[in-house]
C-alpha cells in the first residue's frame, strides 16, 4: 500500500512539474535530502553480499524518489502548501483519531474490557487492530499526531480551538500511554 501511495505522490509531483510553466530542479535540496541513499549506494562497493545489498537499495528507493519529487515541484505549489500547512496537519490528526476509534471499536468487539485494560505485552503483540496494523505503527502515528496536536494547540489564537486541541491532545496521549511500551517517540516527552 505504501508503494502505491509513494508512486501516486511521485506521479503527481512530476505531473505538476511538467504542466507548470516554471520549471525548477533544486539540485542542492535534492543532494542534501537524498544523501543517505547515495551513501548507501556507495556502500555497494564494500558489500560482500551484493544480491542482498541491491535488494536493500531497491527497498529504500523512496529515499531517492521522495526528495526528487520535492525538488521538481514549483515554488508556487510549495508556497501554497506552506500556507495551508495547518489544514493538512488537522486532516492528519483527524485521520489518526478515526484510525484509533476504529481500532478501539475492534478491540472492544473482540476482547473483554478486563483483558484490554490489563494490556499485557503478549496481548498487545497479537492485537488485531483495523486492517491488521501493528500496535508499533499505531503508536508511531499516535506519537506524531500527539506532537502535531500540541503544536496546533500552541499556535491557536482562539480559546475554543485551544480547548478542542487540548481535549484531542489528552485523548491521543491517553491512548498513546496505553501503547507506551512500544512508542519510541514517547521518550521525547
Amino acid at each position: 500500500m505504501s508503494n502505491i501511495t509513494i508512486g501516486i505522490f511521485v506521479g503527481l509531483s512530476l505531473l505538476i512539474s511538467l504542466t507548470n510553466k516554471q520549471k525548477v530542479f533544486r539540485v542542492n535540496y535534492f543532494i542534501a535530502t537524498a544523501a543517505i541513499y547515495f551513501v548507501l549506494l556507495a556502500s555497494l562497493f564494500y558489500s560482500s553480499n551484493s544480491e542482498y545489498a541491491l535488494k536493500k537499495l531497491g527497498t529504500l528507493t523512496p529515499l531517492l524518489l521522495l526528495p526528487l519529487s520535492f525538488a521538481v515541484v514549483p515554488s508556487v505549489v510549495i508556497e501554497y502548501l506552506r500556507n495551508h500547512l495547518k489544514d493538512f496537519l488537522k486532516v492528519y490528526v483527524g485521520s489518526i483519531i478515526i484510525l484509533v476509534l476504529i481500532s478501539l471499536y475492534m478491540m472492544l468487539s473482540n476482547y473483554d474490557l478486563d483483558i484490554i485494560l490489563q494490556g499485557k505485552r503478549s496481548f498487545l503483540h497479537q492485537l488485531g487492530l483495523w486492517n491488521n496494523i501493528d500496535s508499533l505503527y499505531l503508536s508511531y502515528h499516535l506519537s506524531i499526531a500527539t506532537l502535531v496536536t500540541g503544536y496546533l494547540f500552541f499556535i491557536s489564537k482562539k480559546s475554543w480551538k485551544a480547548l478542542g486541541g487540548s481535549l484531542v491532545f489528552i485523548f491521543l496521549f491517553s491512548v498513546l500511554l496505553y501503547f507506551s511500551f512500544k512508542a519510541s517517540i514517547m521518550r521525547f516527552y
Side-chain angles (χ1 to χ4, degrees):
M1 183 64 176
S2 64
N3 291 337
I4 295 170
T5 308
I6 291 171
I8 290 171
F9 178 75
V10 169
L12 285 175
S13 298
L14 293 175
L15 183 68
I16 289 170
S17 174
L18 293 174
T19 57
N20 200 315
K21 295 176 186 174
Q22 179 190 10
K23 305 285 187 229
V24 293
F25 184 73
R26 295 175 199 83
V27 177
N28 293 339
Y29 172 81
F30 176 69
I31 291 173
T33 54
I36 186 77
Y37 191 82
F38 296 129
V39 170
L40 292 171
L41 189 63
S43 70
L44 269 176
F45 297 112
Y46 303 104
S47 176
S48 60
N49 189 352
S50 58
E51 182 181 329
Y52 173 76
L54 286 172
K55 182 179 176 185
K56 196 67 170 167
L57 280 174
T59 319
L60 296 174
T61 305
L63 291 176
L64 185 66
L65 292 178
L66 291 176
L68 175 67
S69 299
F70 283 111
V72 298
V73 171
S75 303
V76 176
V77 175
I78 292 175
E79 193 60 36
Y80 175 82
L81 295 174
R82 274 194 193 127
N83 291 338
H84 292 85
L85 179 64
K86 286 192 287 188
D87 299 329
F88 294 128
L89 292 176
K90 289 175 187 176
V91 168
Y92 174 73
V93 170
S95 64
I96 297 304
I97 289 172
I98 291 170
L99 175 67
V100 167
L101 291 175
I102 291 171
S103 297
L104 288 175
Y105 172 76
M106 290 189 69
M107 284 172 48
L108 289 170
S109 64
N110 293 331
Y111 301 99
D112 291 334
L113 190 59
D114 297 345
I115 296 172
I116 293 172
L117 292 177
Q118 289 173 2
K120 296 180 181 175
R121 288 180 188 250
S122 60
F123 166 72
L124 289 174
H125 283 295
Q126 62 189 358
L127 189 58
L129 298 175
W130 180 71
N131 206 15
N132 291 326
I133 187 171
D134 188 72
S135 55
L136 174 68
Y137 296 119
L138 181 62
S139 66
Y140 286 160
H141 284 291
L142 276 168
S143 299
I144 294 168
T146 305
L147 292 171
V148 167
T149 304
Y151 167 75
L152 291 173
F153 168 75
F154 284 113
I155 65 168
S156 62
K157 294 180 173 44
K158 297 185 179 179
S159 59
W160 66 271
K161 287 184 178 180
L163 177 65
S166 62
L167 292 174
V168 169
F169 181 84
I170 290 169
F171 170 73
L172 290 175
F173 193 74
S174 301
V175 176
L176 182 60
L177 283 178
Y178 181 72
F179 294 108
S180 65
F181 81 94
K182 287 183 139 188
S184 61
I185 300 179
M186 271 294 287
R187 297 177 191 156
F188 292 130
Y189 285 113

